[in-house]
Amino acid sequence: MVGHSRRWYHNRTVGNDDTTIYALSTAPGKAAIAVIRVSGPACKQIYQALCPHTALPEPRYAALRKLYTPNEPPSPSTVLDSALVLYFSAPNTVTGEDLLELHVHGGPAIVRAVLAAIPKCGRPGAIRYAEPGEFTRRAFSNNRMDLPQIESLGETLSATTEQQRKLSVRGTSSSLAARYEEWRMLLLQARGELEALIDFSEDQHFDESPAVLCMSVAGQVQVLKAQIETHVTNAMRGELLRNGISVGLLGAPNAGKSSLLNRIIGREAAIVSQEAGTTRDIVEVGVDLGGWLVKLGDMAGLRRAGLIGPDAVGAIEQEGIKRAKQRSLESDVLIVVQDATAELDPEVTETARKCADLGISVVVAVNKVDRLPNNDSFAAWKKKIQESLHVPRERIFFISCLDDGNPTTATPGAGIGALGGIHDFVNGLLETFQEMTTALAPDSEGDPSIWQESLGATERQRLLLSECLDHLTAFLSLVHSPPMGAEPPQNSPQSGISHAPEVNGEEDEAVDIVLAAESLRSAAESLARITGRGEGGDVEEVLGVVFEK
Ligand code: GDP
């Protein structure tokens, strides 16, 4: 099967022809050095043409060489540059082919001259500039990288926050693909056992009865299903790290939402992206808060609401509130800002409660505590919020957004930590993020650390896993599965197999097993598509997505 998919891949792509490819691997522009990479069978020939009469450096050892214009007698006037040259011999290279790296001086004219010289080192057409991502394509074709690794590579290159970096680094090992492959093998084995049952059921020469065998397979599938489900949950947690945690801000007008945002952005967080809306409004701001990518939505709505006086509920403000409510329901974390000197707003309370019921983590910031007469009011507020918003104590913070201009002193009279409690509040938020993005382990396995890597599973992988789970569910409903860990009943030969009406029991039984085996085959195929070992079109699709970046 593996060999087959490889052939299929070669036939459909520019894959491994016998051309040698080269490209500038560092960013274009003026720099101290520039690295030009060459991969393919003509590496040695290119070296000989650029560095005539000198020995090819020992593989993996750097050597300083003068590069000359090819096909001309080497002389001081034909020197292109002096470069650090590295040679790696196939197959243990990043592409699986012979590889040459030329570390030249980074001046644009030098880079241009060396790049222009390389294709002249061989017969016409044998050496050409690489297409985008072609080195990686070759690595895949030569089994040097699997699809999950390639996906991670794309993420490694585009990671902007610390958490994204950690996530992508986790995925660059081959452990994810190895896990999928292990699951696929288990499924193929289980299917094999069932198929043996179909082929030989007449003979009855089984150690186990068909029903017992079916139940044992079903038991294995159930354990596997629980593992895949955990993996999918973790993949969704990983998506929060990769795509950012969507944070909504909710509060009555003048509660201090804009003030809180201003205090967080700049001092505690750095803006990493801004997405413009249809007008000049910013609809989403990405900030790096303690290493997490946080997406704050609908800044326009927030700002407008903030601009309007306490008693005026104008149309614009109404719109702001409407948007904020909608955004709250779509967020992963909701920050409720409550003015400590005002009553709870019923609309805010209702929306916050709805969010909590949807499983959204709600964090409350009681603001303007500089105006509270004494600390007793803190306890009263805590109780009131716990009761009406259903928010646990540890998620309620007391802050003051009043900026006294001195970041080291506590806000006078506030009775809260330095920086008006903002720092504690941000720490509380970060703890919430941490909880939401920690990998879970299946009940059957105690050690969550080996499940960390499943945070790195991409959305594509997750969708294929969900497809796999659907097939496993179909399988289990065909074969009545015993509760996990339960012993199969001994005296009921057909109890593990689902029956159609009792018209001709034997045949229906067989049909069910055929279908069941087919579900397992489909489930295995979904896993195969993740690693690029299958028949599906995912290989091209994934490579395309990665190379677009
Ligand atoms: P928004 O409508 O929720 O965005 O509220 P704003 O951030 O615009 O704040 C409304 C008003 O409350 C402004 O005049 C702020 O200066 C003031 N304000 C915000 N935070 C505090 C605070 O912690 N203490 C006091 N005393 N005033 C605050």
Side-chain angles (χ1 to χ4, degrees):
M1 185 161 182
V2 170
H4 179 87
S5 73
R6 284 276 170 271
R7 270 197 303 282
W8 163 83
Y9 177 70
H10 290 166
N11 291 342
R12 289 198 32 179
T13 66
V14 285
N16 277 15
D17 41 39
D18 56 2
T19 55
T20 294
I21 53 171
Y22 67 98
L24 175 63
S25 292
T26 42
K30 216 153 93 179
I33 57 165
V35 178
I36 295 166
R37 238 188 198 176
V38 187
S39 174
C43 276
K44 282 185 197 162
Q45 193 185 341
I46 292 170
Y47 172 82
Q48 297 299 353
L50 290 175
C51 313
H53 317 305
T54 57
L56 182 71
E58 216 179 302
R60 294 166 188 271
Y61 281 88
L64 190 64
R65 295 281 189 268
K66 278 207 172 76
L67 306 183
Y68 292 92
T69 308
N71 313 319
E72 281 180 34
S75 76
S77 64
T78 61
V79 173
L80 295 169
D81 189 21
S82 47
L84 204 62
V85 177
L86 275 152
Y87 168 71
F88 304 87
S89 71
N92 293 328
T93 69
V94 67
T95 55
E97 305 176 321
D98 270 358
L99 200 81
L100 194 65
E101 267 184 24
L102 307 174
H103 297 224
V104 299
H105 290 100
I110 291 176
V111 171
R112 214 179 307 126
V114 177
L115 286 177
I118 293 173
K120 294 179 187 148
C121 299
R123 64 182 162 76
I127 304 165
R128 59 174 172 79
Y129 203 83
E131 292 179 31
E134 203 175 348
F135 287 93
T136 314
R137 276 172 193 266
R138 291 192 173 195
F140 175 78
S141 298
N142 293 325
N143 265 327
R144 301 296 299 168
M145 278 180 109
D146 55 54
L147 277 192
Q149 279 179 304
I150 293 175
E151 283 176 295
S152 278
L153 176 70
E155 276 155 22
T156 307
L157 300 182
S158 55
T160 51
T161 67
E162 180 60 9
Q163 294 291 340
Q164 286 172 328
R165 182 193 64 75
K166 283 189 184 160
L167 190 69
S168 66
V169 167
R170 257 183 226 132
T172 44
S173 79
S174 56
S175 52
L176 271 181
R179 183 177 287 260
Y180 298 138
E181 209 39 27
E182 185 193 319
W183 287 342
R184 188 169 79 94
M185 287 305 158
L186 272 173
L187 285 175
L188 291 180
Q189 243 171 36
R191 175 189 154 209
E193 285 182 35
L194 284 186
E195 282 181 343
L197 206 59
I198 302 167
D199 296 343
F200 305 111
S201 54
E202 310 275 292
D203 305 348
Q204 299 292 322
H205 290 314
F206 280 96
D207 294 343
E208 294 168 291
S209 76
V212 169
L213 188 69
C214 264
M215 285 173 79
S216 114
V217 169
Q220 290 168 28
V221 167
Q222 255 178 346
V223 172
L224 183 64
K225 189 166 166 255
Q227 292 194 342
I228 298 179
E229 276 164 352
T230 306
H231 189 80
V232 165
T233 307
N234 287 341
M236 288 185 341
R237 292 179 157 226
E239 275 165 36
L240 289 176
L241 297 175
R242 188 179 305 118
N243 302 336
I245 300 173
S246 169
V247 175
L249 260 174
L250 183 73
N254 276 308
K257 299 177 291 296
S258 314
S259 308
L260 177 59
L261 262 184
N262 289 337
R263 292 294 304 269
I264 294 178
I265 296 175
R267 215 173 267 174
E268 309 272 351
I271 293 184
V272 291
S273 68
Q274 286 194 355
E275 195 182 308
T278 42
T279 59
R280 285 173 57 216
D281 298 344
I282 298 163
V283 290
E284 191 134 290
V285 179
V287 300
D288 180 341
L289 188 58
W292 271 270
L293 174 61
V294 171
K295 295 188 297 188
L296 295 160
D298 199 5
M299 307 289 281
L302 284 172
R303 265 201 313 266
R304 285 199 192 115
L307 287 174
I308 289 165
D311 302 321
V313 183
I316 299 176
E317 185 182 322
Q318 277 297 349
E319 179 58 25
I321 295 170
K322 200 178 115 206
R323 285 203 219 170
K325 267 200 217 170
Q326 186 52 37
R327 182 59 170 64
S328 303
L329 293 168
E330 293 162 5
S331 57
D332 301 312
V333 174
L334 178 69
I335 301 175
V336 176
V337 184
Q338 172 62 39
D339 182 341
T341 62
E343 280 308 307
L344 276 176
D345 180 311
E347 283 199 73
V348 170
T349 311
E350 195 198 315
T351 309
R353 227 193 263 174
K354 243 190 229 170
C355 289
D357 292 346
L358 284 172
I360 297 169
S361 308
V362 180
V363 179
V364 180
V366 182
N367 187 31
K368 308 193 188 180
V369 292
D370 52 289
R371 291 220 191 131
L372 285 183
N374 55 50
N375 292 2
D376 296 346
S377 347
F378 283 38
W381 263 116
K382 226 170 203 173
K383 189 156 175 276
K384 192 153 46 166
I385 286 169
Q386 265 181 290
E387 281 166 7
S388 29
L389 271 67
H390 302 166
V391 174
R393 291 178 74 82
E394 63 277 11
R395 296 256 167 94
I396 304 171
F397 297 87
F398 292 90
I399 61 165
S400 168
C401 294
L402 262 198
D403 199 342
D404 64 358
N406 182 352
T408 58
T409 59
T411 308
I416 47 173
L419 299 172
I422 304 281
H423 201 63
D424 290 346
F425 169 72
V426 168
N427 279 341
L429 264 186
L430 296 183
E431 269 170 34
T432 310
F433 295 164
Q434 181 75 54
E435 266 171 43
M436 296 166 64
T437 54
T438 303
L440 305 174
D443 291 341
S444 56
E445 289 176 39
D447 180 10
S449 64
I450 61 156
W451 287 86
Q452 285 290 330
E453 75 209 12
S454 54
L455 291 171
T458 58
E459 191 182 4
R460 183 192 71 93
Q461 296 170 23
R462 178 171 65 76
L463 293 175
L464 284 168
L465 287 167
S466 302
E467 204 182 282
C468 172
L469 283 174
D470 289 345
H471 294 303
L472 295 184
T473 307
F475 166 83
L476 289 171
S477 68
L478 283 168
V479 179
H480 283 323
S481 47
M484 272 174 82
E487 286 294 316
Q490 295 301 312
N491 300 323
S492 154
Q494 277 136 17
S495 61
I497 301 170
S498 105
H499 289 281
E502 285 281 307
V503 194
N504 68 24
E506 293 275 307
E507 250 180 45
D508 283 337
E509 222 174 72
V511 168
D512 282 348
I513 296 176
V514 170
L515 270 182
E518 181 57 21
S519 312
L520 292 187
R521 194 197 62 77
S522 306
E525 183 54 27
S526 305
L527 293 177
R529 284 167 60 200
I530 298 183
T531 47
R533 302 283 187 261
E535 306 287 315
D538 298 70
V539 172
E540 281 302 302
E541 207 175 285
V542 175
L543 293 179
V545 169
V546 171
F547 301 144
E548 254 170 41
K549 293 178 182 167

